[in-house]
Amino acid sequence: MIDVSGLRKVYQDRGREVVAVDGVDLHVREGEIYGVLGQSGAGKSTLLRCVNLLERPTSGTVSVAGQELTSLAERDLRKARQRIGMIHQHFALLSSRTVAGNVAFPLEVMGTAKAERARRTAELLELVGLADKAGAYPAQLSGGQKQRVGIARALAGSPPVLLSDEATSALDPGTTQSILALLKSLNRELGLTILLITHEMHVVKSICDSVAVMRDGLVEESGTIPELISRPGSRLAAELFPLPEPEPGNVTITFTGQAGEPVVSQVVRKFDVDVNILGGALEEVAGVSTGRLRLLVTGDERAAALSYLAERGLLVEEAR
Amino acid sequence: MTWDEMFPMLLESTGQTAEMVLWSTLFTVLLGLPLGVALVATDRGGLFPSAVLNRVLGLVVNLGRSLPFIILMIAVIPFTRLIVGTTIGTIAAVVPLTLGAAPFFARLVETALREVGRDKVQAAQAMGAGRATIVGKVLLPEAMPGLIAGLTVTVVALISYSAMAGAIGGGGLGDLAIRYGYQRFETTLMIVTVVVLVAVVQLVQSLGDTVARRLARD
Ligand SMILES: Nc1ncnc2c1ncn2[C@@H]1O[C@H](COP(=O)(O)OP(=O)(O)O)[C@@H](O)[C@H]1O
Ligand SMILES: [Mg+2]
């Protein structure tokens, strides 16, 4: 749905070159929620803004819904942007317009007739649960409500794609959860493809199907979350499940989805080993129960026990 | 001088001042608003970036603002004669008043427009809005309280300038105060004139404040 390839963006900042995005490939499949995770300054916003060409890439190509945007002329680009929704960290609502007026704005831009605008606006406000706030001004709303207006506005033209630039970073934890839940339900019910950027791991954990970890303008790792978690040496896995530094000989097992199976007790019963659990973390990630355990495994059949675990589809890593 | 003698004079002069100020306000807005928009639009990162145009406009505006009004008034006399046909009377005074106030108002417009958050403009761009839509539906409405405040300051300045323009044949309250109050020692008339001027300025200011406050939604 979104294909970014070889994307580079170099800013000229007082004669100095700042490489904000340094050759990024990104493939977002239709209907998924794709998160780009990274610290402040990693180049996430620049990457996202290159997707709808708010920033023109220095090189590389971007296509959305099969249309290559990088080669479009200004006029066609404006048309294409009407098919890409965007929400912003600080909401970017017009304070001089009511909630309904804000949602209607993109429809005015598209040239939708007045009666149809009113109908669609009411429908969108219903969708985000703000039907009773149509006449309010943004200043009278809470942060969470403002972002709901932002979401309604972004969806006005029924775009297949939504871009989200740190949409929950200005919100408190409870409100963040409700906005994430709204995004997830829009994703499920409308089949909306979402590309979001965030510096918060819990956003990725809560709703993302795939993730790219970004650092210094580069994608360090990317893939679906189960893929990443079961990939040896994954930094994402280490960050999702922080365990103490392993001692030499310690074993770390990572499981995705097999959490229901009593693998540890099976190993102890089947093999002549003792298992000591040193630490562990279990999380619901992208709706799948996922976890890591740090084990001390001793006994004559240690090697056989570890290969048994690996055969069961678990990632087994031994510290040296 | 009795009140019965003063009253018709005051009425006539107030009318002349109102005429000068209203017309010059109209032309100041017509000239200064686009100029202010252009100053913001041509700036780096603006809607229509052009370093050359931006510098030229900035220069013109600064020139207009740094010229003392009394000198501007005299310097534009040939220009006034060219477009109005005369250099005497309230309508002729509108020319220097407009030329003096428009650059001033343009800067106030510029400041008000810069207050509008970049993210609002970018959100509109992300929706596919063109430049004209962004100016007309984002920048100007969002800056409206600031624009009204700027307009109020400009009208007050025009009232004060109009007193000066009156002295070179424009008529109005300033002219009255100088001719009778100062030159003929009619102290009462002078005081009454000043009171009227102060009252008008107060009225304009509180009207502007009220409108700006009602428009501000945050
Ligand atoms: N308009 C700009 N001009 C110059 N440098 C910029 C500009 N925008 C971003 N940068 C630089 O690019 C880098 C990446 O910024 P950004 O994409 O905002 O990162 P993130 O969203 O991950 O915090 C930073 O070093 C930032 O200073
Ligand atoms: Mg950012």
Side-chain angles (χ1 to χ4, degrees), chain B residues 36-100:
Chain B
V37 170
L39 279 171
V40 176
T42 55
D43 198 10
R44 239 188 66 173
L47 291 171
F48 205 97
S50 159
V52 177
L53 213 55
N54 189 257
R55 200 150 314 144
V56 170
L57 290 174
L59 209 71
V60 169
V61 165
N62 284 344
L63 191 78
R65 290 209 314 144
S66 53
L67 227 54
F69 182 66
I70 195 104
I71 293 176
L72 178 95
M73 217 160 53
I74 294 161
V76 299
I77 283 177
F79 180 66
T80 306
R81 182 172 294 124
L82 189 74
I83 58 173
V84 189
T86 171
T87 61
I88 296 182
T90 47
I91 296 303
V94 169
V95 175
L97 283 174
T98 301
L99 292 179

Side-chain angles (χ1 to χ4, degrees), chain A residues 6-318:
Chain A
L7 187 84
R8 263 175 70 81
K9 176 69 192 183
V10 183
Y11 288 111
Q12 299 294 334
D13 189 27
R14 276 158 276 154
R16 261 179 341 110
E17 290 204 333
V18 181
V19 183
V21 177
D22 196 7
V24 163
D25 298 305
L26 214 61
H27 302 286
V28 181
R29 287 168 303 171
E30 185 169 353
E32 77 172 336
I33 302 186
Y34 196 112
V36 176
L37 179 70
Q39 290 178 346
S40 171
K44 308 180 297 293
S45 294
T46 305
L47 171 65
L48 194 75
R49 291 148 49 77
C50 281
V51 171
N52 60 0
L53 260 70
L54 283 179
E55 297 287 355
R56 192 154 277 279
T58 308
S59 60
T61 58
V62 174
S63 41
V64 176
Q67 187 177 32
E68 194 186 312
L69 302 185
T70 22
S71 59
L72 291 181
E74 173 78 24
R75 194 183 191 23
D76 297 325
L77 178 61
R78 287 212 304 270
K79 271 263 171 298
R81 279 180 181 154
Q82 295 174 1
R83 308 287 300 146
I84 305 173
M86 190 174 196
I87 54 177
H88 312 263
Q89 180 171 5
H90 299 293
F91 323 119
L93 301 177
L94 300 183
S95 47
S96 58
R97 286 181 174 234
T98 60
V99 164
N102 269 282
V103 176
F105 183 39
L107 298 169
E108 290 172 28
V109 169
M110 283 179 253
T112 310
K114 194 165 179 211
E116 171 61 11
R117 274 204 314 260
R119 192 196 62 75
R120 180 77 182 132
T121 300
E123 186 178 276
L124 287 158
L125 288 177
E126 190 71 44
L127 183 70
V128 299
L130 283 180
D132 57 330
K133 295 284 183 197
Y137 283 89
Q140 301 166 309
L141 303 181
S142 70
Q145 289 171 328
K146 285 182 196 165
Q147 197 56 286
R148 283 171 189 270
V149 178
I151 292 170
R153 179 177 71 174
L155 298 180
S158 312
V161 175
L162 179 71
L163 307 179
S164 161
D165 188 347
E166 303 268 10
T168 57
S169 298
L171 304 176
D172 63 64
T175 313
T176 293
Q177 258 354 92
S178 81
I179 293 294
L180 293 178
L182 174 61
L183 290 177
K184 185 82 210 174
S185 82
L186 293 171
N187 163 255
R188 286 220 188 93
E189 280 155 34
L190 309 177
L192 185 68
T193 305
I194 302 178
L195 173 59
L196 65 83
I197 65 167
T198 181
H199 65 274
E200 292 170 306
M201 179 63 90
H202 80 89
V203 170
V204 170
K205 265 197 285 201
S206 304
I207 61 167
C208 292
D209 303 305
S210 294
V211 63
V213 181
M214 218 176 151
R215 184 186 301 261
D216 296 333
L218 287 165
V219 168
E220 270 189 337
E221 332 172 16
S222 67
T224 67
I225 291 201
E227 263 168 33
L228 283 176
I229 287 170
S230 46
R231 186 177 296 166
S234 163
R235 206 194 284 257
L236 182 81
E239 275 182 44
L240 265 175
F241 304 105
L243 293 173
E245 272 299 300
E247 303 274 327
N250 284 2
V251 173
T252 308
I253 61 173
T254 305
F255 47 87
T256 50
Q258 311 95 328
E261 296 177 40
V263 282
V264 174
S265 64
Q266 284 170 3
V267 161
V268 176
R269 225 169 322 110
K270 286 195 177 179
F271 302 94
D272 180 16
V273 288
D274 284 312
V275 175
N276 198 359
I277 298 177
L278 301 174
L282 185 69
E283 293 263 9
E284 187 88 6
V285 180
V288 179
S289 170
T290 306
R292 292 193 120 190
L293 282 179
R294 171 71 43 75
L295 307 174
L296 183 63
V297 183
T298 50
D300 293 343
E301 294 186 317
R302 183 175 188 273
L306 296 188
S307 48
Y308 171 79
L309 287 172
E311 278 160 29
R312 303 298 304 264
L314 277 68
L315 172 68
V316 180
E317 293 167 280
E318 260 192 280

Side-chain angles (χ1 to χ4, degrees), chain B residues 79-146:
Chain B
F79 180 66
T80 306
R81 182 172 294 124
L82 189 74
I83 58 173
V84 189
T86 171
T87 61
I88 296 182
T90 47
I91 296 303
V94 169
V95 175
L97 283 174
T98 301
L99 292 179
F104 176 70
F105 183 57
R107 281 292 180 210
L108 297 178
V109 169
E110 183 192 8
T111 309
L113 294 181
R114 284 196 199 286
E115 292 287 307
V116 179
R118 272 191 70 85
D119 62 338
K120 292 177 185 176
V121 173
Q122 284 183 351
Q125 282 171 331
M127 288 171 208
R131 295 185 183 109
T133 307
I134 291 174
V135 171
K137 293 201 167 190
V138 179
L139 285 179
L140 293 177
E142 287 293 295
M144 201 47 86

